[in-house]
Amino acid sequence: MILAAGVGTRMRSALPKVLHRVAGRTLVEAVLDAAEGVSPSRVVVVVGAGRERIAATLEGRDVRFAIQEPPLGTGDAVARARGQIGGGRGPVVVLAGDTPLLCRETLARLVELQRGKNLDLAFLTFRPPEPGDFGRVVRDGRGRPSGIVEARNASARQKRIAEVNAGVYCFSADALARALAKIKRNPASGEYYLTDAVAILAAGRGKIEAIEAEDWREAWGVNTRRDLAAAEQMEHRRGVERALDAGVTVLDPATVRIGPRVALAPDVVLHPFVSLEGRTTLAEGCEILSFTRLVDTSVAAGAVVGPHCETDGAKIGARARVGPFSRLRPGSELEEDVRIGNFVETKNTIVRKGAKAQHLAYLGDADVGAGSNIGAGVITCNYDGQKKYRTTIGEGAFVGTDTQLVAPVTIGKGAYVGAGTTVTQDVPDGALALSRVPQVNKLGWAARRKAKKSG
Ligand code: UD1
Ligand code: CA
């Protein structure tokens, strides 16, 4: 169960809280990604205000929704979700939709603990530098958890407890049912607190254990914009640490951004102000130069990208050289040793082995043959206002500068296209295509003009 029905008042936002983003991913998607790591047989997301937008964000994901309206607290939210989880006997994991830094490994550890010892409840705790508004974990004389006290209800002494509740629980199905039946409305706030389950189960001699997160940052919950900014910082820092541990050189850790789903190999070098997002993968020894943003892009070994490049949904082959100022749009695939230079844009295009487009070109819906040379200012005219058409350029072709290739069109293997040509018909293998108006030189013209003017 992922609880996402809270109003999120403290964010001061028109957007539901769980749709705010950390490292480019919405809070609820981050939590869902962690949940999927423990292979749940079913995921229920509890939604309330803004549920249409949350459902739209999660479209295509394997989840069910339970509606909680009005939001009467985390205990009530779980009660609403129970109808959707069916009669399964397996453990029930409850997660808050606002803890985007949670790792699947930690969740797996919690589920294993509950299963292995057949506990009524296993839950996650952490020790942030400041316990702030988090619920304090109260333990009895033998160190067993006996309750969670919300900060606003805690005594001065309880407030000093450093161990706090992460809002991540693994209940046995039975224990959850027993606890829910007994949770009472909090007289002060009018809400049902899921956290009361700890005291309820403890009082009934239930078996409860709490484990502490190895890295406190992963339990960080987002309630305010300050919390959101802190989460972004933590995710950023974690990404850099992960890269360094993987054998990556990060020249300026303060300015490099590495998303949580980015995969990195040893001997990658990241220059200042590089941003790696989505499912980007960088293979051994590749180098990303400054002010370059890679989204869902794979870069093979030894390639160099940047500075000032933007790529999205692209594949960059081994030893390729991209940039400066190149833009690779979705469906761009560069094979080995390709060179894409300044102000070159590619989209849905394969550039085969060793081909070059070094300056000022647009290659859309094209297949560019191995070893071919695309001159400055070459444009594929791939769109007639209604449909897109493909351009095929054969192996070893030479396309001269300032050429328009009006698709659909094919340039043969080893063919030449003279500078300034507008190609509207296929060019056979090995041919030269020219469509220029022949040049005329008028000798002495300038002097005659001058004489005319002064006369
Ligand atoms: C909660 C815990 C607190 C813990 C903290 C960890 C309770 C009572 N307190 O406090 O002990 O330290 O999380 O981050 O559980 N939600 C609903 N329906 C509701 C209320 C909340 O779905 O009626 C959802 C929210 O959208 C949110 C999550 O539950 O994603 C947690 O609620 P929130 O109000 O943020 O609880 P905290 O005050 O942070
Ligand atoms: Ca919270």
Side-chain angles (χ1 to χ4, degrees), residues 54 142 200 206 269 276 304 344 407 426 453:
I54 297 173
R142 293 164 65 180
I200 291 167
V269 180
L276 307 175
V304 181
V344 174
D426 290 353
K453 263 194 181 166

Side-chain angles (χ1 to χ4, degrees), residues 3-6 10 17 68 71-74 77 96-99 134-135 148 150 165-167 169 193 195 221 223:
L3 312 187
R10 293 167 279 181
K17 176 169 80 175
Q68 183 203 26
L72 292 176
T74 47
D98 62 358
T99 54
F134 292 107
I148 294 172
E150 289 308 300
N165 173 32
Y169 319 81
Y193 292 164
T195 44
N223 295 327

Side-chain angles (χ1 to χ4, degrees), residues 275-291:
S275 184
L276 307 175
E277 301 173 25
R279 296 191 186 280
T280 289
T281 55
L282 304 187
E284 224 164 275
C286 66
E287 190 161 357
I288 312 300
L289 307 182
S290 294
F291 305 105

Side-chain angles (χ1 to χ4, degrees), residues 273-330:
F273 295 100
V274 160
S275 184
L276 307 175
E277 301 173 25
R279 296 191 186 280
T280 289
T281 55
L282 304 187
E284 224 164 275
C286 66
E287 190 161 357
I288 312 300
L289 307 182
S290 294
F291 305 105
T292 294
R293 177 169 176 251
L294 308 182
V295 183
D296 296 328
T297 294
S298 72
V299 184
V304 181
V305 184
H308 296 281
C309 289
E310 176 92 19
T311 77
D312 184 1
K315 271 186 173 173
I316 298 172
R319 298 174 306 279
R321 179 75 182 84
V322 179
F325 298 101
S326 313
R327 180 174 183 208
L328 308 182
R329 290 168 54 206

Side-chain angles (χ1 to χ4, degrees), residues 34 171 231 256 271 289 453:
F171 288 93
V256 170
H271 288 246
L289 307 182
K453 263 194 181 166

